């Protein structure tokens, strides 16, 4: 497991010696189980909402509608705000928890924050599995959401800070890989529990979320804290000891000194959230916020949340719908593995741009097929066309899984400087959860009103986000986190204009006017 030694580019041409040590790999795998919990919840919610016993107990109106084909169009069978709230409440809670998680990540460390997340998950799972009414179900989902907020805040930071630069992208994507594994695991569980007689299969589906929750909790007890966090909180010797341990070498002084300097600069920032709005931090903030919004407007979470419901809407039977969801889940996992191996070789931009073309074409094809073949009250698609729709959805999912899925988390976690990293990650998670909530709450209603046009809606957004990547997203492959400003932002055609403090801009403008010209155009 311990790989050979290699070096990372350091500040001013210095090389940071590092090995791929077992402790780094093991710590990252254990930390990334936070993604397993997140993914399982994404997958399990759509599965249980397509189970008749679950609908009968908590959403009888929806159940009656699904059994009355003449009541509503195919696209509107599951259009119910309460049903959507069951899925979306988790993300609204996660949005709120993110603000608290930012504080604990900065003051207590990445490791304790992951432990808090695991505890929230466990309590939420117990309430969901034992739910007797809708209120108990929603409270459980809210606690799971708190776990999501804490985990999504701490885990990507942990992975970025503990990994050597040259494999930072691949190790960070372990989080997203575990998300996809969690979705696949949930789809397999749903496929099995839907066949349980007695109507309690949905309880088992929700209860098995305890497995990844326990993995995250126990994992957080055994992983090491990141050197960045230890140094940031004043534990210099302990930070040096951990850095030596995770790098597998005694020659860690150059990297240690750079971390100490970065921490010193960070401590001078008394209000990190306010500091995010400074001119020099706007490029990172704009890109991080845009990536989270765009990630949700690819439509992926809406499709993964409601995959069984979506396939059922398209005319698949209950078992066939769950089976098709398993297939897309498997494609999701395999395609994320592609990203692990390619992100640090090909780079971030090429993956995002290629995937944009692939997702755009597949969604347009799906919209055309459904527009022609699936009417409001038709019984189902023909067998051949149904298989083709599944293939196109898999094509779309695969493109997302090696691009916008993992890179939407990776890029923000590696671009913010230390003094705003925790606050920046908090904003990243906050925006992601806000728009995840919006999509989860709105998708079934949008499907009812837009019908097949929902895929054209998402494809339009994919076109816009691909243009954004092409013109405005710089490449961050193999760049040490502490050198992003010098090697990335100051080299970009647009963002280099922002790499100057507000006070410096005023001085330059003043001097420029004194010399008879206005420099604002180039600033």
């Amino acid at each position: 497991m311990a790989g050979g030694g290699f070096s990372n580019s350091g500040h001013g041409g210095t090389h940071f010696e590092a090995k791929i040590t077992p402790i780094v790999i093991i710590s990252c795998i254990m930390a990334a189980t936070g993604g397993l919990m997140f993914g399982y919840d994404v997958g399990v919610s759509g599965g249980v909402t397509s189970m008749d016993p679950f609908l009968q107990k908590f959403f009888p109106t929806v159940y009656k509608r699904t059994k009355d084909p003449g009541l509503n169009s195919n696209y509107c069978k599951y259009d119910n705000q309460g049903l959507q709230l069951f899925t979306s409440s988790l993300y609204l809670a996660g949005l709120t928890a993110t603000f608290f998680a930012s504080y604990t990540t900065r003051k207590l460390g990445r490791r304790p924050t992951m432990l808090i997340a695991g505890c929230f998950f466990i309590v939420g799972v117990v309430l969901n599995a034992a739910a007797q009414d809708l209120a108990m179900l929603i409270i459980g989902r809210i606690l799971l959401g708190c776990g999501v907020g804490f985990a999504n805040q701490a885990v990507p930071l942990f992975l970025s800070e503990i990994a050597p630069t040259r494999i930072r992208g691949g190790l960070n994507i372990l989080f997203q890989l575990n998300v996809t594994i969690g979705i696949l695991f949930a789809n397999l569980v749903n496929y099995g529990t839907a066949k349980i007689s007695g109507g309690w299969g949905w309880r088992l589906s929700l209860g098995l979320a305890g497995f990844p929750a326990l993995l995250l909790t126990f994992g957080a007890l055994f992983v090491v804290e990141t050197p960045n966090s230890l140094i940031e909180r004043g534990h210099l010797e302990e930070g040096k000891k951990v850095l030596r341990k995770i790098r597998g070498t005694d020659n860690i002084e150059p990297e240690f000194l750079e971390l100490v300097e970065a921490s010193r600069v960070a401590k001078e920032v008394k209000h990190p959230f306010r500091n995010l709005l400074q001119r020099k931090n706007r490029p990172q903030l704009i890109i991080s916020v845009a990536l989270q919004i765009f990630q949700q407007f690819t439509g992926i979470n809406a499709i993964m949340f409601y995959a069984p419901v979506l396939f059922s809407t398209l005319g698949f039977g209950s078992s066939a719908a769950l089976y098709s969801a398993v297939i897309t889940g498997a494609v999701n996992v395999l395609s994320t593995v592609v990203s692990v191996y390619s992100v640090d070789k090909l780079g971030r931009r090429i993956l995002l741009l290629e995937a944009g073309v692939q997702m755009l074409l597949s969604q347009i094809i799906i919209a055309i097929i459904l527009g022609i073949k699936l009417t409001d009250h038709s019984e189902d698609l023909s067998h051949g066309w149904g298989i083709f729709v599944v293939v196109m959805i898999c094509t779309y999912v695969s493109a997302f899984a090696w691009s916008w899925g993992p890179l939407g988390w990776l890029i923000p976690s590696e671009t913010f400087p230390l003094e705003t990293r925790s606050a920046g990650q908090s904003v990243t998670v906050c925006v992601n959860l806000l728009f995840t909530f919006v999509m989860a709450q709105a998708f079934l209603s949008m499907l009812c009103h837009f019908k097949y046009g929902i895929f054209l809606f998402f494809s339009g957004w994919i076109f816009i986000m691909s243009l954004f990547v092409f013109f405005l997203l710089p490449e961050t492959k193999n760049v040490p986190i502490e050198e992003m400003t010098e090697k990335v932002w100051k080299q970009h055609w647009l963002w280099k204009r922002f790499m100057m403090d507000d006070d410096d801009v005023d001085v330059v403008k003043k001097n420029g006017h004194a010399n008879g010209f206005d420099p604002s155009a180039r600033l």
Side-chain angles (χ1 to χ4, degrees), residues 305-362:
F305 288 154
Y306 300 113
V309 170
L310 178 63
F311 285 121
S312 178
T313 295
L314 300 182
F316 293 74
S318 179
S319 295
L322 289 170
Y323 182 67
S324 299
V326 169
I327 294 174
T328 57
V331 169
N332 200 11
V333 173
L334 294 174
S335 300
T336 304
V337 173
V338 172
S339 186
V340 171
Y341 284 101
S342 62
V343 67
D344 289 317
K345 295 178 182 177
L346 299 178
R348 283 63 162 152
R349 279 171 50 87
I350 189 67
L351 289 176
L352 291 170
L353 291 171
E354 184 282 331
V357 175
Q358 188 171 326
M359 289 192 292
L360 179 66
L361 293 177
S362 59

Side-chain angles (χ1 to χ4, degrees), residues 458-475:
F458 290 135
S459 62
W461 277 100
I462 291 170
F463 178 74
I464 293 171
M465 64 185 70
S466 296
L467 291 178
F468 178 89
V469 170
F470 185 80
F471 289 107
L472 297 178
L473 184 69
E475 182 57 71

Side-chain angles (χ1 to χ4, degrees), residues 153-354:
Q153 169 75 15
V155 173
L157 279 181
F158 178 92
L159 295 174
S160 287
E161 292 176 348
I162 205 169
T165 300
R166 289 179 64 182
I167 61 168
R168 183 180 67 233
L171 287 182
N172 196 289
I173 288 174
L174 281 175
F175 179 76
Q176 181 66 22
L177 178 61
N178 273 270
V179 171
T180 63
I181 291 173
I183 293 171
L184 176 59
F185 179 44
N187 289 332
L188 289 169
V189 168
N190 287 333
Y191 184 70
T193 57
K195 299 179 182 299
I196 295 177
S197 59
W200 55 273
W202 63 270
R203 292 191 185 276
L204 183 59
S205 287
L206 296 177
L208 285 177
F211 174 68
L214 288 171
L215 282 180
L216 175 63
T217 306
F218 284 112
L221 292 173
F222 294 105
V223 298
V224 297
E225 184 59 272
T226 70
N228 308 60
S229 177
L230 290 168
I231 293 170
E232 186 181 15
R233 291 180 288 122
H235 307 299
L236 300 185
E237 288 305 314
E238 189 178 352
K240 180 183 284 190
K241 180 180 177 182
V242 171
L243 186 62
R244 184 179 294 112
K245 192 175 183 180
I246 65 175
R247 295 295 181 248
T249 176
D250 290 328
N251 185 24
I252 48 89
E253 197 66 23
E255 185 175 4
F256 175 73
L257 291 176
E258 183 160 303
L259 290 176
V260 171
E261 174 61 17
S263 177
R264 183 192 66 78
V265 173
K267 287 181 179 178
E268 293 178 357
V269 179
K270 301 301 181 184
H271 305 286
F273 281 98
R274 188 184 305 167
N275 195 52
L276 278 176
L277 300 177
Q278 289 185 2
R279 183 181 180 84
K280 65 180 180 180
N281 292 320
R282 287 176 201 166
Q284 301 95 314
L285 182 62
I286 291 170
I287 284 178
S288 295
V289 169
L291 287 179
Q292 302 314 305
I293 296 173
F294 288 152
Q295 187 191 68
Q296 294 312 308
F297 278 92
T298 61
I300 187 65
N301 273 344
I303 290 173
M304 298 310 291
F305 288 154
Y306 300 113
V309 170
L310 178 63
F311 285 121
S312 178
T313 295
L314 300 182
F316 293 74
S318 179
S319 295
L322 289 170
Y323 182 67
S324 299
V326 169
I327 294 174
T328 57
V331 169
N332 200 11
V333 173
L334 294 174
S335 300
T336 304
V337 173
V338 172
S339 186
V340 171
Y341 284 101
S342 62
V343 67
D344 289 317
K345 295 178 182 177
L346 299 178
R348 283 63 162 152
R349 279 171 50 87
I350 189 67
L351 289 176
L352 291 170
L353 291 171
E354 184 282 331

Side-chain angles (χ1 to χ4, degrees), residues 89-163:
S89 58
L90 180 148
Y91 304 98
L92 190 59
L95 169 63
T96 305
T98 295
F99 294 103
F100 298 97
S102 174
Y103 177 83
T104 61
T105 302
R106 189 172 64 255
K107 295 296 184 181
L108 302 180
R110 285 53 163 159
R111 183 170 167 261
T113 303
M114 289 189 288
L115 184 61
I116 293 171
C119 294
F120 271 123
F121 277 138
I122 291 172
V123 177
V125 167
V126 171
L127 286 176
N128 269 183
Q132 297 300 316
D133 52 39
L134 186 58
M136 191 173 178
L137 194 69
I138 297 298
I139 291 172
R141 294 286 293 178
I142 289 172
L143 290 175
L144 287 173
C146 293
V148 167
F150 277 84
N152 285 9
Q153 169 75 15
V155 173
L157 279 181
F158 178 92
L159 295 174
S160 287
E161 292 176 348
I162 205 169

